[in-house]
Every structure is written in structure tokens, then in C-alpha cells.
Amino acid sequence: MVVLAASIISKSGKALVSRQFVDMSRIRIEGYLAAFPKLVGTGKQHTYIETENVRYVYQPIESLYLLLVTNKQSNILEDLETLRLLSKLVPEYSYSLDEEGIGHTAFEILFAFDEVISLGHRENVTVAQVKQYCEMESHEERLHKLVLQSKINETKDVMKRKASEIDKSKIEKTRGEKGGFMSLQSMGSGRIDTGFGSDTSISSSSGGFGSGSGFGLSTEVDSFSSKPKGRPPASASAPPKGLGMKLGKTQKTNQFLESLKAEGEVIVEDVRPSIGQSKPAALPPSDPVTLTVEEKLNITLKQDGGIGNFDLQGTLSLQILNQDDGFIQVQIETGGNPGILFKTHPNINKELFSGENILGLKDPNRPFPTGQAGDGVSLVKWRMQSADESLVPLSINCWPSVSGNETYVNLEYEAPPMFELQNVVIAIPLPALRDAPKVQQIDGEWRYDSRKSILEWSIILIDNNNRSGSMEFVIPAVDTSDLFPISVRFTSTSTFSDLKVVNVLPLRGGNPPKFSQRTLLSTENYQVV
């Protein structure tokens, strides 16, 4: 009971891959393979052919044949089981079942055949075991990668040192040109700032919003020293034009960075502001007071229904442009969701918030901070966890089915009427494909990213007109588990807390400052696994 050869041939008898497990001449095996297409009849249902000398056990795979050449004493049941195992292995190593795909992965297929058949007899292995046995670890390759990474790290260190030397030279040049003028301005002079500051050197209060900021009186004194501390005087905020320092190595450094980028290295340029230059600020909001309600969703849905994880985190942030507008209180209202627990900042008056839904400082004589980066300072945070599937704003159903050499995938989304979702993107991972999937029906638009092998289904808006939709596409036969996890992204102007700012109350009389509210619900990690 011996398998003489395992081969993949075309319909015309051309041998693409052939592995002999006994001592055979090339002319003999080529004669067997060339004679096979003439022996295959049309309309026959069996998968073996016997001649005077050998038996052919075969299986069609698209436009090719997977063929076992055995002697006539071989056990046909074992040969069929061996053929079935080989037919599962070929698609694992070849990205397409045609002559080009088999030719590109010929050696990988031969190695897999050797793990299944040894000296003509079948080994007791599975597909997973064969893939594990074929994964080889090379000590030389690992050593080469370590040496390459060491060179990259060394190059990065050289780049950072060069950039630091350039910055120091610029600073010394600027200091030398302005030294006399700055000394006259700084001798016997001081500056006192009151309010909020993240760059102050002395603070009389340890409490505050965020890190590095505090309520109370902050004092900052600029004095002349060899190492400038704090911010430079206003008169020295900009260097004179035409006095910049030019170094001959700058061009070489830029060429060095460009060469690294050309090799595919990701370069993060560290731009440090010099003396008299401030960091570029983001575009400030148009209204004096801006309140931002933001909620982020972390949801894991199961393929067969149900919720694996539902976690919602929300924040109410306050941003104030002018310090005079900081003496305020904020009146809010919530939707009364019993599953949401609100927590205020330690400097917020909790009794006032719990009794009247008003956010105000414990000390009304102190203003809210101004000039905060991002969305401002956080006033209230909340969180909600649930196992109620009806709260999910968008559910995804995936129904893959394998038919022959193709996999038909049907996807459907359903959105309850509680939210309107914008910029919805449903990303389906796919195995490496030679061609883009065939999308037969879709509600929306699709895009295939061949580099990441991801199919993206996009819907601009989901409202009452399209609370459900579907998509159907076809790909070569794959393991259906490879289509997960499915990732989902969207945004919405509605939130679970339904928190709204009712009014801004001034503490020192006069008209309340103009305010605006921004509301955003977005996904942070939304998957179907």
C-alpha cells in the first residue's frame, strides 16, 4: 500500500507540482501524469481510475486536478482520506487555485505534502499540525533582524543628537545676540500672574483640574540667569529678522532623514520651539464659553447574538476664553437614565449639584480655569455598563456560507430608533485575496483595502429612512472564522445620558456670557467577535 506520487496538474496534463515518494524516473512519472487526462471520462461520478499498473485517485480543484498515483494494492479508503487532507492544505498555502498561484507557492505545497506522506504512507496529522510543522525558525534570520534593529536604533540616536546640537546652537546664537537687551529688561523686574496656569513656577494651591493646574494665586518671576527659566519677556518674543543661524550640517541631516523615510522607516520629527517662539495653538472656539459633552462606546457583540461587553464613558468639559468669564455656574439637566452614575470634580460643590443640578466651585470667589488645551477642563464624568442588548445602537449580523469553491457572505445591520448615526464604517477582515471581492448587493458604498485585506462597508447616515440594510459579497472558499472580528465606527450627535446645558449663571451680576454646547457620541472599540 504505497502512494507513488502526489501531484497538481492542469486539465491538459501539465505538471505544476509533483512529489514522488518512491524511487521513480522522471520519464515514468511524466508519462503517468500525461496519460491521466486521456483516461478521465465525462459524466463519471467516481474519483479514481485503475490501469494495468497504477491507480489514479483524484479531485478537481477549480481548473486543476489534485492527483494521487498509487499502486493497485493500496487501500482506496486511506488514499481518499489522504486526498481529502491534501485538498484542505492546498488552499492554505496558495492564494489562488490556478497555475500562477500554484507556481508561486510550489515549495510551500511540497513541504506540506512531505508532512502528510512519508515514504508513501500517510502520517496521522491534521491541517493545524502540518501548518505548525512547516513554520521554521531560523537562528540566522533572527540574528539578522536583531542586527538590523540595532542599526536602526543607533541611527535614531545619531539623528536625535544631531537635532539636539542644532537646537542648542540656535539657542546660543539667539542668546548671544539678545543678551545685553534681555539683561536690561530683566534686572529688578518681576511679573505676577493670577489665575490658572500649567507653566507657572510657584503655586499656592495644591488642588486643581487636571495635572499641573491649580485654583488660586500663582506667582512667576523672570530673572536673568545663564539658563533662562519660564517665558521670555514680551519685548523678546520674536527674534530679529535675518539673524537666524545657518549650519552646514542641516542639509546633511535632512538628507539623512529622507533616506530613512525612503527605506520605509517612520520618522517622528521632534520640533522644539526656540526662545521667543511659542507653540502653535489650536483654533480657539468662537464663543466665550464652550461646553462639550462627549461619550465613547466600548462594545463587544457575539456572532450568535448577545453582548460580551458594553461600557460607556462620558465627560462634560468646559472651555473659557477670558478669565473675566470664569466667575460662572453651569446649570444642566440629564435624561434621567438610572444606569448612569455621575461623578463631579473634587473642586465642584457636590451639594449644589445634587440638589439643583448646578455646577459651581466650592469657593465662589475663584474663577474656572481659562486657556486649557483640547476641550478644556472636565467638570463631570459618568459611566454605564449593561447587558441589555436593546441598548446597542447598531447590531451586525454576519451569515457566511461555503458553496463549492466560493464563500457567500451576507451582512445585515439593524439600528434602533434612539439615535441617528453618521459616517458609519463596518470593516470586515478578509484573507489575502488576489482580486477584490465580488459585491453583488449593497445598501451604501464599499471599498476594498488590498494592503490590509479589509472590506469596508460605508453608510453616510442611518436614520428613520434606513434603519436596516444589507450587503452580499463572494470570495474564494475560506474558513468562516477568518471573517471576524468585524469592527464598527460611527458618530452621533445624541448621547445616552442626554445631558444638556440649560443656562450659564454669572456670579458677579451683569449679563451671562454667551455659550455653546457640542455633543458627540463615538466608538472607541466596537467589535463583533
Side-chain angles (χ1 to χ4, degrees), residues 8 16-19 93-94 101-115 134 136:
I8 299 177
L16 305 178
V17 172
S18 182
R19 181 72 170 101
Y93 290 95
S94 178
I102 298 297
H104 280 299
T105 57
F107 287 102
E108 289 80 0
I109 295 175
L110 290 177
F111 294 151
F113 283 3
D114 284 344
E115 297 296 334
C134 290
M136 298 182 294

Side-chain angles (χ1 to χ4, degrees), residues 294-313:
E294 184 178 9
E295 291 184 348
K296 293 186 178 181
L297 274 173
N298 291 274
I299 295 180
T300 303
L301 303 177
K302 300 179 181 178
Q303 300 179 29
D304 52 355
I307 298 179
N309 176 51
F310 185 104
D311 184 45
L312 172 75
Q313 295 183 357

Side-chain angles (χ1 to χ4, degrees), residues 98-128:
D98 54 13
E99 292 190 16
E100 183 180 358
I102 298 297
H104 280 299
T105 57
F107 287 102
E108 289 80 0
I109 295 175
L110 290 177
F111 294 151
F113 283 3
D114 284 344
E115 297 296 334
V116 176
I117 304 173
S118 176
L119 299 177
H121 299 279
R122 178 181 181 274
E123 297 288 342
N124 187 19
V125 293
T126 62
V127 174

Side-chain angles (χ1 to χ4, degrees), residues 14 33 123 215 223 252 263-264 289 314 320 338 376 380 429 441 462:
K14 177 184 177 182
L33 298 181
E123 297 288 342
F215 286 102
S223 59
K252 294 182 179 180
E263 294 177 0
V289 178
I320 301 175
V380 182
Q441 184 271 330
I462 296 180

Side-chain angles (χ1 to χ4, degrees), residues 287-498:
D287 296 315
V289 178
T290 303
L291 294 114
T292 303
V293 178
E294 184 178 9
E295 291 184 348
K296 293 186 178 181
L297 274 173
N298 291 274
I299 295 180
T300 303
L301 303 177
K302 300 179 181 178
Q303 300 179 29
D304 52 355
I307 298 179
N309 176 51
F310 185 104
D311 184 45
L312 172 75
Q313 295 183 357
T315 305
L316 171 63
S317 302
L318 171 67
Q319 190 173 41
I320 301 175
L321 296 182
N322 303 317
Q323 185 175 351
D324 295 338
D325 298 326
F327 296 93
I328 58 173
Q329 291 180 340
V330 180
Q331 184 177 6
I332 64 172
E333 67 177 16
T334 61
N337 191 331
I340 295 180
L341 178 62
F342 293 92
K343 291 185 178 180
T344 59
H345 191 275
N347 284 335
I348 294 295
N349 190 330
K350 291 181 173 54
E351 290 77 11
L352 187 63
F353 172 71
S354 60
E356 304 179 32
N357 277 347
I358 294 179
L359 297 170
L361 298 178
K362 294 179 179 178
D363 186 359
N365 296 320
R366 294 162 57 185
F368 278 106
T370 59
Q372 297 292 306
D375 293 331
V377 63
S378 299
L379 303 182
V380 182
K381 293 184 178 181
W382 58 92
R383 185 174 184 180
M384 182 179 73
Q385 293 179 325
S386 177
D388 187 359
E389 194 171 359
S390 63
L391 296 177
V392 176
L394 186 67
S395 59
I396 307 296
N397 297 318
C398 181
W399 300 87
S401 60
V402 180
S403 177
N405 295 322
E406 293 181 330
T407 299
Y408 293 82
V409 183
N410 291 271
L411 279 95
E412 181 184 18
Y413 74 81
E414 294 182 3
M418 62 175 119
F419 295 131
E420 289 187 358
L421 308 180
Q422 294 97 27
N423 303 321
V424 181
V425 178
I426 303 171
I428 306 100
L430 301 178
L433 301 177
R434 180 181 179 184
D435 301 318
K438 301 176 183 178
V439 178
Q440 297 182 343
Q441 184 271 330
I442 187 171
D443 295 328
E445 299 178 353
W446 68 278
R447 184 181 72 90
Y448 176 63
D449 189 343
S450 58
R451 185 173 61 87
K452 298 180 180 179
S453 192
I454 292 178
L455 177 62
E456 292 186 347
W457 178 14
S458 302
I459 306 100
I460 297 178
L461 175 65
I462 296 180
D463 55 10
N464 292 328
N465 297 323
N466 58 341
R467 289 294 175 186
S468 62
S470 60
M471 177 178 71
E472 180 181 0
F473 64 91
V474 183
I475 57 176
V478 297
D479 187 355
T480 56
S481 62
D482 294 339
L483 302 175
F484 296 90
I486 299 175
S487 301
V488 182
R489 306 191 306 271
F490 60 81
T491 59
S492 177
T493 56
S494 302
T495 59
F496 282 85
S497 63
D498 198 20

Side-chain angles (χ1 to χ4, degrees), residues 100-169:
E100 183 180 358
I102 298 297
H104 280 299
T105 57
F107 287 102
E108 289 80 0
I109 295 175
L110 290 177
F111 294 151
F113 283 3
D114 284 344
E115 297 296 334
V116 176
I117 304 173
S118 176
L119 299 177
H121 299 279
R122 178 181 181 274
E123 297 288 342
N124 187 19
V125 293
T126 62
V127 174
Q129 289 175 332
V130 171
K131 293 179 67 177
Q132 180 182 0
Y133 297 157
C134 290
E135 291 178 357
M136 298 182 294
E137 182 180 2
S138 172
H139 175 72
E140 288 78 8
E141 180 183 5
R142 187 170 66 252
L143 182 61
H144 172 73
K145 289 182 178 180
L146 291 176
V147 173
L148 181 61
Q149 186 63 39
S150 176
K151 291 182 178 180
I152 293 175
N153 295 336
E154 183 179 356
T155 304
K156 288 181 180 180
D157 293 338
V158 173
M159 179 184 63
K160 291 180 180 179
R161 287 198 300 268
K162 293 291 185 181
S164 178
E165 292 176 1
I166 293 172
D167 290 339
K168 289 180 180 178
S169 300

